[in-house]
Amino acid sequence: MTVDKVDVLLVGGGVMSATLATLLNELAPLMHMTMVERLPSIATESTDAWNNAGTGHAGYCELNYTPTDDAGNISINRALAINASFEVSLQLWASLVEKNALPAPAKFINKTPHLSFVWGEENVAFLRKRHRLLQEHPLFKDMEFSDDTTKLTEWMPLMMQQRTDNEKVAATRVSYGSDIDFGSLTRELVKHLQQTPSFQLNVSTEVTGLKQLDNGRWLVNIKDLTTKKQKKIEAGFVFLGAGGGALKLLQKSGIPESQGYGGFPVSGQWLVCNNPDIIKQHNSKVYGKAAIGAPPMSVPHLDTRIINGKPALLFGPYAGFTTKFLKKGSYLDLFKSVKPNNLKSLLGAGRHNMDLTRYLIGEALQKHSSRVTTLREFYPLAADADWHLESAGKRVQIIKQCDEKGGKLEFGTEIVAAKDGSIAGLLGASPGASVSVQAMINVIERCFSDKIKTEQWRSRIKALIPSYGESLIDDSQLLAQVRNRTLQVLNLR
């Protein structure tokens, strides 16, 4: 059996793999890369527009990024970090638009104001305090707050219908928030990569095994699911960007760094509006507060979406319990992920998250009428007949070792890389795709550490991402420069 040799093998055809391949192609155009995707086409799992919120996660509207402690203190550190990371994504996309490596911005990103909306005196007080803290930082200086009915009606007319003046409601707003069709973005990135002779895409192709050779390279067994033929690829570096499938592949790799990790799968569903007259009355992403015990991915929001160029209106997501790690996966995924080295982590996390499990099962058993009742907290005039239920993607939350509890459940994304930098995988979920550029820069810094220190690579990445190596949190002048450019190039003003 012949063995194909490549510099980089990317497993999974989602936004993470496409972003890493794009960065490496810009840094080293002669680097030979192969991408393999299990499904017949790319960007059809979590990256697909219908399988995620499409929110350009910047911390503008997501209240779970600013948690409150028992003393009532609000922490804004995570919101600052996510906002700065999203600005890195915007910089790369703007550079690629200018280089004609991406099409007109409206093909994948559209200006959609980001709002946080709350009701009740206690929540209004929280939002006012959150706004004050965030607005003091240059990253959030343009955030507005209002509890005035007239202003709120201007910001979100659909949601303010049939509300009385004595209702205690409030909102914050950032006008240059964005809606992103990550499916379209990923397909455009890969389309551009396919124009270079050093890149190859293999769809309907599954990784069946991988092992590290004595020379440090990886021998990967792959199977063509159409022809049933098998072959081998030898790669200098392997990236596991297979979404919910990444954990299984990390376990197959046998690297010590993967031990102790497990996954907690969560399913999602949307209420999708059928009525075009209602859709055109709402032009923003409005996030509320999550129910007690709900995971962060279940923060309710009423979203304007632009999917494949067409407007849509979604509410949700409604979370549910599942044992699948992928939307087109197996119900045995969770059970097959249990290994001797992560059993303690799984049992510990399960023992301390029973309330979450009960919540997810309850969500899954809801009737359509009760889902619409929740929607009416955002849109009081919502009618059952105007909405139908659609399945969203699967999210696999990270479970990792914890000395205190045995195992803990984490909400976020995490890179797991071998000590020698020869293989890396991405685990976790939100903010996910929005910070894909920063996440993949982190992969490059860990796995191509010698090359990223060279003048050639540093100058090339600075040309793509002007803020590289500097802090947008600490440098307000640099922030103003890069934000003005990206908002203009991507038509987000």
Side-chain angles (χ1 to χ4, degrees):
M1 183 184 296
T2 59
V3 178
D4 294 339
K5 293 188 177 183
V6 298
D7 297 308
V8 174
L9 176 65
L10 304 126
V11 183
V15 66
M16 293 294 178
S17 291
T19 299
L20 179 58
T22 297
L23 286 167
L24 290 174
N25 182 63
E26 294 289 333
L27 294 171
L30 299 181
M31 185 177 286
H32 286 273
M33 294 183 282
T34 293
M35 177 185 289
V36 296
E37 166 57 47
R38 184 175 61 95
L39 299 178
S41 55
I42 62 170
T44 51
E45 274 284 351
S46 295
T47 297
D48 182 75
W50 288 104
N51 291 341
N52 59 67
T55 303
H57 286 298
Y60 294 140
C61 55
E62 307 91 338
L63 298 177
N64 56 301
Y65 293 161
T66 50
T68 304
D69 64 19
D70 293 338
N73 300 308
I74 299 173
S75 172
I76 65 171
N77 291 337
R78 188 165 186 234
L80 296 179
I82 289 173
N83 190 284
S85 293
F86 183 61
E87 290 288 342
V88 172
S89 293
L90 293 177
Q91 288 175 72
L92 177 64
W93 300 337
S95 294
L96 295 175
V97 167
E98 290 174 330
K99 291 162 63 76
N100 295 317
L102 280 175
K107 294 283 188 179
F108 64 93
I109 187 169
N110 287 274
K111 177 182 176 180
T112 310
H114 283 195
L115 285 78
S116 299
F117 173 68
V118 299
W119 55 91
E121 287 189 15
E122 185 177 337
N123 288 333
V124 169
F126 158 79
L127 192 65
R128 182 181 286 109
K129 182 178 179 180
R130 176 183 185 269
H131 169 256
R132 186 177 68 251
L133 289 170
L134 286 173
Q135 198 188 35
E136 290 175 352
H137 197 282
L139 284 166
F140 291 87
K141 68 180 179 64
D142 297 321
M143 177 181 281
E144 303 173 82
F145 170 89
S146 182
D147 56 2
D148 177 71
T149 302
T150 302
K151 176 58 73 174
L152 295 177
T153 301
E154 177 188 324
W155 286 354
M156 42 187 189
L158 186 75
M159 292 175 56
M160 292 301 291
Q161 292 176 15
Q162 220 176 53
R163 293 186 189 273
T164 61
D165 288 343
N166 60 2
E167 283 189 71
K168 297 292 185 182
V169 295
T172 56
R173 180 178 185 266
V174 175
S175 65
Y176 48 74
S178 58
D179 172 72
I180 304 169
D181 184 336
F182 286 108
S184 292
L185 171 64
T186 300
R187 287 185 284 273
E188 292 293 345
L189 290 174
V190 174
K191 180 180 176 182
H192 179 71
L193 286 166
Q194 287 181 289
Q195 296 172 12
T196 65
S198 59
F199 178 86
Q200 182 178 348
L201 171 66
N202 294 331
V203 296
S204 299
T205 302
E206 184 173 28
V207 172
T208 57
L210 66 166
K211 68 175 182 178
Q212 191 168 26
L213 302 174
D214 292 339
N215 61 6
R217 294 169 65 85
W218 286 85
L219 188 64
V220 183
N221 300 320
I222 63 173
K223 180 180 180 180
D224 187 316
L225 299 178
T226 302
T227 66
K228 307 304 180 185
K229 291 183 178 179
Q230 300 194 34
K231 71 174 186 177
K232 297 179 184 291
I233 295 179
E234 183 184 313
F237 171 71
V238 177
F239 176 66
L240 306 175
L247 176 61
K248 178 180 72 173
L249 293 170
L250 273 171
Q251 291 174 335
K252 281 180 178 287
S253 74
I255 61 172
E257 291 80 4
S258 69
Q259 295 196 4
Y261 280 94
F264 185 88
V266 179
S267 64
Q269 295 175 310
W270 301 107
L271 283 179
V272 180
C273 186
N274 314 316
N275 190 332
D277 291 333
I278 294 174
I279 294 171
K280 66 185 181 184
Q281 294 180 59
H282 189 78
N283 183 34
S284 56
K285 289 179 175 290
V286 184
Y287 276 57
K289 294 193 76 172
I292 296 174
M297 69 162 286
S298 298
V299 173
H301 43 103
L302 184 62
D303 278 11
T304 292
R305 300 296 312 276
I306 305 296
I307 300 176
N308 298 322
K310 296 181 179 180
L313 183 59
L314 281 65
F315 179 77
Y318 295 91
F321 181 74
T322 181
T323 56
K324 283 186 175 184
F325 278 9
L326 292 163
K327 192 171 183 179
K328 296 181 181 178
S330 166
Y331 286 107
L332 297 176
D333 287 341
L334 175 59
F335 307 107
K336 288 182 177 180
S337 75
V338 179
K339 307 293 180 185
N341 66 61
N342 69 6
L343 183 59
K344 182 180 178 181
S345 302
L346 293 170
L347 292 175
R351 186 168 61 252
H352 290 93
N353 287 279
M354 290 304 298
D355 288 346
L356 173 59
T357 303
R358 284 191 289 268
Y359 167 81
L360 295 174
I361 293 172
E363 283 276 287
L365 296 176
Q366 276 194 91
K367 294 181 179 179
H368 181 67
S369 58
S370 62
R371 291 190 176 99
V372 177
T373 297
T374 304
L375 167 60
R376 291 194 186 105
E377 293 178 333
F378 281 69
Y379 169 35
L381 298 182
D384 290 24
D386 287 333
W387 301 80
H388 71 275
L389 195 65
E390 291 276 358
S391 293
K394 306 294 181 186
R395 300 290 183 269
V396 180
Q397 311 294 348
I398 302 167
I399 292 176
K400 59 191 298 186
Q401 291 176 337
C402 172
D403 292 337
E404 184 180 339
K405 298 180 179 180
K408 62 178 179 178
L409 186 64
E410 293 207 340
F411 300 100
T413 52
E414 186 165 333
I415 297 163
V416 180
K419 185 178 180 180
D420 64 2
S422 64
I423 188 170
L426 190 81
L427 302 178
S430 181
S434 297
V435 298
S436 56
V437 179
Q438 183 60 60
M440 294 305 98
I441 287 174
N442 293 346
V443 169
I444 291 172
E445 290 176 338
R446 289 175 66 172
C447 301
F448 296 84
S449 56
D450 292 340
K451 292 183 177 179
I452 195 63
K453 293 174 184 176
T454 64
E455 178 58 33
Q456 184 183 61
W457 276 42
R458 289 188 70 84
S459 62
R460 286 179 176 177
I461 200 167
K462 283 284 283 186
L464 292 169
I465 303 166
S467 71
Y468 179 75
E470 301 175 70
S471 173
L472 292 175
I473 296 177
D474 299 329
D475 192 333
S476 59
Q477 185 175 355
L478 177 63
L479 168 66
Q481 291 172 355
V482 300
R483 182 172 280 176
N484 286 337
R485 169 186 170 250
T486 55
L487 293 182
Q488 181 175 348
V489 173
L490 298 175
N491 298 327
L492 297 176
R493 287 196 182 279

